[in-house]
Amino acid sequence: MEIDLESEMKLSRRELRVLLLHEFRLGRKATEATSNICGTMGKDVLSIRTAQHWFHRFKNGNFELDDLPHNGRPLEVDMDLLKQLIEQDPRLTSRCLAERLGCSHITVETHLNELGKTWKYGVWIPHELSPIQLQQRVDACMELITSHRNYQWLHNLIAGDEKWMLYINYTYHRQWLSAGQTGVISNA
């Protein structure tokens, strides 16, 4: 039975920092430590830049391996409340949602992306033509074709299908939508 070491060895940040401290105490350089750790634990487990950062901290006498508490807004949000807000009004911007949830708009966007939501514009919704409207279009096309045969531009005339778009000055609003879902245009 073959064991895939890369999938078995998921290191926490603290464990990775312990390995870096060990390499530092052995007197190795950051690039060499990165090569050793990545060779043992997995190709992309550590970047040289991260190793350099921690080696710099160790050289300055800072051997604290745990993350310090951060100031600022929380990274976690109430997912149920976020879903509820999006269902009530999918046109709310990430900044408006962040204000209501008490976090940053980047955090809101991250969580919305995790939910499979993307920021899209609404789409035009075609309407079926009535039989009278269909006949009026056919009559107009026939009149153009038969009455102006000597004009060359009429040879390039293209007739459409049985759909029509009602011209109302709609306002386009972006909306948070799931994959495959289409938005709707609303009157302003």
Side-chain angles (χ1 to χ4, degrees), residues 173-185:
H173 294 283
R174 286 186 166 206
Q175 301 166 39
W176 291 104
L177 302 169
S178 298
Q181 188 180 9
T182 57
V184 295
I185 297 177

Side-chain angles (χ1 to χ4, degrees), residues 17-45:
R17 293 168 189 167
V18 168
L19 292 174
L20 284 168
L21 180 59
H22 176 72
E23 293 283 330
F24 175 78
R25 288 192 171 148
L26 289 176
R28 298 201 172 103
K29 302 261 185 224
T31 54
E32 186 181 0
T34 303
S35 177
N36 292 343
I37 292 170
C38 288
T40 305
M41 306 310 263
K43 179 181 162 191
D44 296 324
V45 76

Side-chain angles (χ1 to χ4, degrees), residues 13-21 54 65-67:
R13 289 180 176 181
R14 183 165 174 48
E15 291 169 330
L16 195 57
R17 293 168 189 167
V18 168
L19 292 174
L20 284 168
L21 180 59
W54 284 97
L65 300 178
D66 292 322
D67 286 325

Side-chain angles (χ1 to χ4, degrees), residues 38-186:
C38 288
T40 305
M41 306 310 263
K43 179 181 162 191
D44 296 324
V45 76
L46 176 68
S47 71
I48 292 174
R49 183 72 186 116
T50 300
Q52 290 170 340
H53 167 75
W54 284 97
F55 269 55
H56 179 72
R57 286 180 64 163
F58 299 151
K59 284 178 190 172
N60 291 332
N62 183 355
F63 297 102
E64 179 60 46
L65 300 178
D66 292 322
D67 286 325
L68 300 174
H70 297 290
N71 293 336
R73 296 181 175 182
L75 295 176
E76 294 300 318
V77 296
D78 182 358
M79 293 298 282
D80 292 332
L81 180 57
L82 178 60
K83 287 178 189 176
Q84 181 183 2
L85 289 170
I86 290 300
E87 286 172 7
Q88 287 174 356
D89 187 1
R91 292 183 300 269
L92 290 174
T93 65
S94 61
R95 291 185 191 276
C96 182
L97 288 166
E99 189 177 299
R100 291 184 185 188
L101 295 169
C103 62
S104 72
H105 73 96
I106 299 296
T107 301
V108 169
E109 288 179 8
T110 302
H111 288 293
L112 286 170
N113 287 332
E114 287 172 7
L115 291 172
K117 302 290 186 184
T118 54
W119 192 230
K120 295 181 184 177
Y121 283 108
V123 296
W124 288 98
I125 301 171
H127 300 278
E128 295 295 324
L129 293 175
S130 69
I132 295 171
Q133 292 167 328
L134 287 172
Q135 189 58 49
Q136 288 173 343
R137 288 187 176 207
V138 170
D139 292 344
C141 290
M142 292 304 293
E143 185 178 332
L144 284 171
I145 291 172
T146 56
S147 65
H148 301 293
R149 290 191 185 271
N150 58 346
Y151 295 116
Q152 289 297 321
W153 64 271
L154 287 175
H155 293 291
N156 297 325
L157 184 65
I158 299 172
D161 65 3
E162 296 82 34
K163 305 279 185 200
W164 63 282
M165 302 293 178
L166 180 62
Y167 180 77
I168 298 175
N169 194 10
Y170 286 110
T171 307
Y172 287 94
H173 294 283
R174 286 186 166 206
Q175 301 166 39
W176 291 104
L177 302 169
S178 298
Q181 188 180 9
T182 57
V184 295
I185 297 177
S186 62

